[in-house]
Amino acid sequence: ANGVSSSDAQIISHALVLADLRGHDTHGTSRLPSYLSRIRAGVLNPSAIPELSVVTPVVAQIHAQNGFGFVAAHRGIHWAIEAAKVYGIAMVSVKHSNHFGMSAWICEEATKADMMSMVFTNSSPALPAWGGKEKVLGCSPIACGAPSGKSPAFILDFAPSVVARGKIHKALRRGEKIPEGWALDNEGKDTTDPTAALGGGTMLPMGGFKGAGLAVMMDAFSGVLSGSAFAGGVTGPYDTRKEADVGHFLVVVKPDLFMGLGEFKERMDTLYRSVVESQKKEGTDRIYFPGEIEQITRAEREEKGIPMVQAEIIALNEEAELAGIEKHVAT
């Protein structure tokens, strides 16, 4: 109803619902109204067809044509998977794109194909340089994944901020306060008000200068390298004033380059056991492997359903009304 092809809509909806299933509600279906408002404002092209140019047998660049980041990243990761099957490694740079939601879904595309991956993207300014109070760095996630045997696949996906910016948007939608230490207001003071944090304030990097350094790395590999916006020039997914011009960087590695795939998976299983069976500190009931909590949450939600608050249901129903389709009923 908003000009997105059926095949592209499937890619986008799969990634959004997967985020909800994994417990990352901040990157799930609650994002849909912001994407559609950008389409209506004419700053996101719903029918864009990503253009892939092969640079070398193992390197390609995708011009996303200001379309959905989900669609460009989907094409990019699958091209890289096929190239890595032949050459062992492949990388794709994506330019002039948009938000692609939760990075973990892209890593999962690779692990399902028995491939390792690294997924980078840049984003609109949300973090200060270390010691500053001005938003100059993106809250840009770094993600990677690797297949395993009997144990859960390794999928690590985190933003360089104390928390993902979507959690502050979620608190704002739900009328909730945020904890101290998440963000600063426009005067550079700690705040628990999501409006102050998202307005003239700024989020805080995790680990001090380490998180700020990771944010610079994401901008270098995703924005500078691709030819997209960088250095604070990316437009956020909730901003309807202009095109986003996001850049992505995808790397796929064939894990059985130096040993058989079976041996690699066995070694990943050993790594899993060494982590989860290690000695627990006082007060810890269980140690989890990166991505394992999300897999447990997914199994629970596939059985019991995805919890949503009334404000999120209302927002989706409003989109349904605009699209001329039946509303969902809140329960």
Side-chain angles (χ1 to χ4, degrees), residues 119-136:
V119 176
F120 300 169
T121 186
N122 68 352
S123 59
S124 56
L127 299 176
W130 178 238
K133 68 174 186 177
E134 177 188 2
K135 290 185 285 190
V136 294

Side-chain angles (χ1 to χ4, degrees), residues 8-10 95 112 190 209 218 226 258 264 283 288 290 301:
D8 287 354
Q10 281 194 323
K95 65 180 180 179
K112 287 189 298 186
D190 206 344
F209 68 90
M218 293 298 98
S226 69
F258 314 112
F264 175 87
Y288 296 91
R301 291 188 172 187

Side-chain angles (χ1 to χ4, degrees), residues 191-277:
T191 183
T192 60
D193 182 356
T195 301
L198 294 169
T202 179
M203 298 178 65
L204 288 171
M206 66 172 188
F209 68 90
K210 295 180 181 180
L214 283 174
V216 173
M217 183 180 81
M218 293 298 98
D219 213 13
F221 277 86
S222 303
V224 176
L225 180 64
S226 69
S228 301
F230 69 105
V234 173
T235 302
Y238 295 95
D239 190 338
T240 58
R241 294 173 297 176
K242 60 178 181 177
E243 297 179 359
D245 199 15
V246 179
H248 317 308
F249 184 66
L250 316 175
V251 180
V252 171
V253 178
K254 191 171 184 282
D256 50 339
L257 290 173
F258 314 112
M259 64 190 73
L261 182 60
E263 183 182 357
F264 175 87
K265 289 185 173 182
E266 287 177 3
R267 290 169 66 85
M268 286 299 299
D269 288 344
T270 300
L271 177 60
Y272 170 82
R273 290 192 299 272
S274 72
V275 171
V276 302
E277 295 175 4

Side-chain angles (χ1 to χ4, degrees), residues 91-110:
M91 62 186 72
V92 178
S93 176
V94 182
K95 65 180 180 179
H96 305 320
S97 186
N98 282 275
H99 192 254
F100 62 31
M102 171 189 71
S103 300
W105 76 266
I106 307 171
C107 294
E108 186 175 292
E109 293 294 305

Side-chain angles (χ1 to χ4, degrees), residues 312-328:
E312 292 166 340
I313 294 170
I314 290 171
L316 290 175
N317 278 337
E318 288 174 349
E319 290 298 337
E321 187 172 13
L322 287 171
I325 59 176
E326 184 179 352
K327 293 183 179 181
H328 292 278

Side-chain angles (χ1 to χ4, degrees), residues 280-300:
K280 297 183 285 291
K281 70 176 184 178
E282 185 178 353
T284 298
D285 295 325
R286 177 176 175 179
I287 295 174
Y288 296 91
F289 202 57
E292 187 174 15
I293 291 176
E294 288 84 352
Q295 292 186 353
I296 293 170
T297 302
R298 178 177 181 175
E300 292 174 350

